[in-house]
Amino acid sequence: MSFFEISGNHAAALALAAKLRGIPAYIVIPKNAPTCKVENVKRYGGQVIWSEANMRSREEVANKVWQETGAIFIHPYNDGRILSGQGTISLEFLEQAPQIDTLVVPISGGGLISGVALAAKSINPAIRILAAEPKGADDAAQSKAAGRIITLPETNTIADGLRAFLGDFTWPVVRDLVEDIITVEDSEIIKAMKLCFEILKIVVEPSGAIGLAAVLS
């Protein structure tokens, strides 16, 4: 049995999981993906299949791979299994610090924040879930304001992991359980990355630093 999906960090995790089980993983990656993420996929044994940088091309290539290989498609965010896995983050947070009253979570396709919100609010319905999003890819903020899924013709942000759009599986959770979406400029994300490195001595990619950028804003 084999798997394929269309993302970056998640792709590396999936490739490793497939390698541990001794099965192939076909990974569809856009041509503008960071080299380090592509190398991670290859390092874990994933078979990289290129697509153009837009979502339509990624989906078309993924469908072609599915037809040719019969692989099981694992979407990087619009999938209940992914939400379940992401929800374990809330479980760990609230086990260690049950007094937490607010969580600030990066948002892109919505898999991470949906899983976090569902799990956190099942434990503490009063907890606030805030999303952090780059202004150059603010489709989630626009969707929240419009009350429906909004997609953008293009995105422009240093946070390459936050360029996806909400799916029909994640949108209802974001719509109903996320209190607000904080948008930040790339300059604020870079400032947060520098702070993490200089003060905490931790190297954080832009998509991971956006939560701190939102708090600092």
Side-chain angles (χ1 to χ4, degrees), residues 86-95 103 115-117 119-120 123 129:
Q86 304 288 23
T88 61
I89 298 172
S90 291
L91 301 182
E92 291 187 28
F93 272 150
L94 294 176
E95 283 177 359
L103 293 172
V116 166
I123 298 171
I129 308 296

Side-chain angles (χ1 to χ4, degrees), residues 1-40:
M1 188 175 294
S2 53
F3 300 83
F4 73 96
E5 71 93 57
I6 45 175
S7 187
N9 292 328
H10 182 66
L14 188 65
L16 176 58
K19 181 179 180 179
L20 292 174
R21 293 182 64 86
I23 56 179
Y26 306 99
I27 313 295
V28 178
I29 298 181
K31 293 178 180 178
N32 65 342
T35 301
C36 60
K37 292 186 177 181
V38 176
E39 291 304 314
N40 278 338

Side-chain angles (χ1 to χ4, degrees), residues 133-136 157-158 183-190 210 213:
E133 185 174 47
K135 287 186 177 179
T157 176
I158 189 175
T183 58
V184 295
E185 299 284 358
D186 277 7
S187 59
E188 296 176 279
I189 296 174
I190 294 171
I210 194 171

Side-chain angles (χ1 to χ4, degrees), residues 44-56:
Y44 295 135
Q47 301 180 38
V48 174
I49 301 169
W50 297 104
S51 75
E52 298 301 325
N54 58 78
M55 188 58 66
R56 179 178 178 180

